[in-house]
């Protein structure tokens, strides 16, 4: 298996991307216009919000893997300099472009009110702290999904801190180290319960009727960076388990991967039709069953006999490659169409299914076009530039595995 690709990772990334796309598009349909079967299908598609949870599991899995490999080899922690450089190069260029375009167009063309709150939210996004309070949770008005980037950044910060504790424990090696990480996950879930008790917003304007800031008060503190790190940490545990497995392929791992898919589907089904899927500690997206299911898939597919080939086909690899750009641009396009063209292209607003279909098709195509251009001319060049910086002489220490890129 190539060091640059773990079988199954691209599949999970591509699937998560398409799930989120489907979720937001299906939300724009009026179920009353579809009949019972059509309404049920649309509701199933809206459960694609769980794709956000899959993204967090995958990130934790990929970023923790080099740390587990170093730990098992008896080496020091991987270079934090390289870790930061790679994360910044991969996330920030595309994020900052989408954030800035959405901010300026929101009040110049797309009818958002320009006020101090709008500016402070944007600045919180720029400084990567928007996730720390409900008032800045949505850093811009017309690109709501950018809320998750702040939680990703917080998870990036917390991951090496948690793993440092394991590296510092002389007896925490092998499977015992993984057990210690389970204890860290338990502490994080405990912190989530404290957040539920002590971080509740007041009731003033706490409603989606008051826009994204009012909606953030509805979500908070069920949605907060602590809970999302709990999802991320399950992915990190999956990486720790996967790195302990022998390299040989076996059809038993195909069955384990299918069991993971079944568990993930169960995690969705028990929360149907509520797309937020608040589970243990009100953590969203079917916690812990859905993240555990995705984790099992990531553990098993690299060692599977059949699925490891199916999941690596070219279309899946392409969607995975541009998925970040699709994620940060698709909702902006949807809102632009709503404001400038079709005001009924809003939550449960479209009764004309044919019109909804071709508008959504336009959004789909444009999202992939923009994402492809962004990756080709912005993200990939900066990633390559950052990799060049890694080759500059620095104090001797192991660097992150390419899997973390």
């Amino acid at each position: 298996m190539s060091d640059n690709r773990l079988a199954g990772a691209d599949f999970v990334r591509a699937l998560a991307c398409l799930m989120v796309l489907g979720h937001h598009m299906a939300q724009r349909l009026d179920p009353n216009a579809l009949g019972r079967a059509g309404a049920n299908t649309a509701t199933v598609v809206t459960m694609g919000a769980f794709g956000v949870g899959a993204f967090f599991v995958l990130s934790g899995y990929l970023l923790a893997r080099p740390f587990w490999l170093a730990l098992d080899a008896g080496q020091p922690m991987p270079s934090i300099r390289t870790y930061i450089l790679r994360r910044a190069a991969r996330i920030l260029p595309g994020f900052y472009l989408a954030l800035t375009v959405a901010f300026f167009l929101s009040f110049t063309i797309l009818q958002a009110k320009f006020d101090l709150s709008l500016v402070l939210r944007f600045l919180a996004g720029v400084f990567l702290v928007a996730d720390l309070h409900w008032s800045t949770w949505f850093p811009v008005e017309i690109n709501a999904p950018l809320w998750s980037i702040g939680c990703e950044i917080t998870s990036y910060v917390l991951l090496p801190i948690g793993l440092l504790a394991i590296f510092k424990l002389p007896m925490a090696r092998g499977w015992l180290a993984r057990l210690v990480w389970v204890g860290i996950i338990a502490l994080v879930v405990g912190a989530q319960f404290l957040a539920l008790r002590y971080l509740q917003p007041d009731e003033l304007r706490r409603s989606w009727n008051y826009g994204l800031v009012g909606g953030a008060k509805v979500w908070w503190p069920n949605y907060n960076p602590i809970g999302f790190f709990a999802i991320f940490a399950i992915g990190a545990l999956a990486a720790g388990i996967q790195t302990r497995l022998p390299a040989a392929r076996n059809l038993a791992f195909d069955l384990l991967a299918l069991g993971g898919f079944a568990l993930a589907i169960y995690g969705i089904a028990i929360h149907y039709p509520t797309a937020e899927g608040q589970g243990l500690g009100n953590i969203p997206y079917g916690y812990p069953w859905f993240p555990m299911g995705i984790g099992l898939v990531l553990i098993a597919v690299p060692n599977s006999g059949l699925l490891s080939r199916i999941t690596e086909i070219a279309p899946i690899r392409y969607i995975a490659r541009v998925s970040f750009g699709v994620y940060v641009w698709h909702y902006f396009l949807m809102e632009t169409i709503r404001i400038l063209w079709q005001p009924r292209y809003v939550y449960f607003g479209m009764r004309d299914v044919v019109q909804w279909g071709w508008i959504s098709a336009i959004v789909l195509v444009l999202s992939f076009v923009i994402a492809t251009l962004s990756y080709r001319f912005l993200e990939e060049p900066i990633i390559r530039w950052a990799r060049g910086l890694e080759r500059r002489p620095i104090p001797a220490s192991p660097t992150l595995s390419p899997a973390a890129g």
Side-chain angles (χ1 to χ4, degrees):
M1 183 185 306
S2 169
D3 287 341
N4 291 319
R5 172 165 282 106
L6 292 174
D10 279 352
F11 176 79
V12 170
R13 185 181 283 115
L15 179 63
C17 173
L18 296 177
M19 288 174 68
V20 173
L21 269 174
H23 164 71
H24 285 136
M25 289 177 178
Q27 279 185 325
R28 308 273 164 153
L29 269 171
D30 181 354
N32 295 321
L34 299 173
R36 181 182 295 274
N40 289 339
T41 300
T43 303
V44 169
V45 177
T46 63
M47 300 302 288
F50 279 65
V52 176
F55 275 128
F56 274 84
V57 175
L58 178 63
S59 291
Y61 175 82
L62 293 177
L63 297 187
R65 180 179 170 83
F67 290 89
W68 292 118
L69 291 171
L71 182 73
D72 290 342
Q75 298 173 350
M77 278 187 67
S79 167
I80 297 301
R81 172 187 183 272
T82 301
Y83 176 81
I84 294 172
L85 186 63
R86 290 191 178 186
R87 287 301 86 210
R90 184 64 190 94
I91 295 295
L92 295 187
F95 169 63
Y96 278 149
L97 178 62
L99 181 77
T100 304
V101 169
F103 173 67
F104 283 105
L105 292 188
S106 67
F107 63 84
T108 56
I109 296 176
L110 301 178
Q111 304 175 7
K113 179 182 178 182
F114 182 80
D115 56 16
L116 181 60
S117 172
L118 193 71
V119 174
L120 291 178
R121 287 160 58 193
F122 171 69
L123 292 177
V126 169
F127 290 105
L128 309 176
V129 294
D131 62 311
L132 301 184
H133 195 268
W134 58 262
S135 64
T136 55
W137 184 260
F138 294 102
V140 287
E141 268 299 304
I142 55 174
N143 203 340
L146 296 186
W147 67 263
S148 69
I149 305 302
C151 289
E152 280 266 359
I153 299 296
T154 298
S155 293
Y156 297 163
V157 173
L158 294 177
L159 176 70
I161 294 173
L163 287 169
L164 176 62
I166 293 177
F167 273 83
K168 293 297 185 181
L169 291 173
M171 301 302 294
R173 297 295 182 267
W175 288 110
L176 180 59
R178 279 70 176 172
L179 185 60
V180 172
W181 188 254
V182 172
I184 290 174
I185 294 175
L187 290 175
V188 174
V189 173
Q192 169 73 6
F193 279 97
L194 292 177
L196 294 178
R197 179 170 182 178
Y198 295 108
L199 297 182
Q200 290 289 341
D202 60 66
E203 295 301 320
L204 180 65
R205 299 173 67 88
R206 190 178 185 181
S207 168
W208 289 104
N209 294 329
Y210 296 103
L212 291 182
V213 176
K217 293 182 80 171
V218 174
W219 273 7
W220 189 274
N222 301 329
Y223 284 64
N224 75 74
I226 298 170
F228 280 95
F229 181 64
I231 301 174
F232 188 96
I234 285 183
L237 177 62
I241 294 171
Q242 204 281 326
T243 55
R244 297 291 294 176
L245 298 178
R249 298 183 186 276
N250 191 306
L251 288 177
F253 285 101
D254 290 85
L255 297 177
L256 181 62
L258 292 175
F261 283 118
L263 182 59
I265 292 170
Y266 168 77
I268 296 174
I270 60 175
H271 294 284
Y272 179 88
T274 305
E276 289 82 3
Q278 293 164 4
L280 179 66
N282 285 1
I283 297 172
Y285 310 130
Y287 193 84
W289 307 118
F290 178 78
M292 287 172 61
I294 299 298
L296 278 176
V297 171
L298 292 168
I299 289 168
V301 171
N303 290 80
S304 65
L306 180 61
L307 291 176
S308 59
R309 297 179 178 88
I310 296 175
T311 60
E312 300 304 297
I313 61 177
I316 289 174
R317 291 169 59 187
Y318 164 70
I319 295 172
R321 186 179 305 117
V322 302
S323 61
F324 183 76
V326 173
Y327 183 81
V328 299
W329 284 107
H330 76 280
Y331 201 85
F332 170 81
L333 293 171
M334 296 173 77
E335 286 294 273
T336 300
I337 288 172
R338 176 185 67 82
I339 295 168
L340 298 183
W341 179 16
Q342 176 49 273
R344 294 194 65 85
Y345 195 64
V346 67
Y347 188 82
F348 285 0
M350 293 292 295
R351 295 189 59 84
D352 186 333
V353 179
V354 173
Q355 187 181 50
W356 168 86
W358 59 259
I359 290 176
S360 297
I362 291 172
V363 171
L364 180 68
V365 172
L366 287 179
S367 296
F368 275 93
V369 169
I370 294 172
T372 301
L373 293 174
S374 176
Y375 185 82
R376 176 66 180 85
F377 296 107
L378 175 66
E379 298 164 46
E380 187 178 36
I382 291 178
I383 291 169
R384 289 178 176 174
W385 171 77
R387 291 296 174 92
L389 293 180
E390 293 176 25
R391 292 190 286 271
R392 294 180 181 179
I394 58 174
S397 65
T399 57
L400 287 177
S401 157

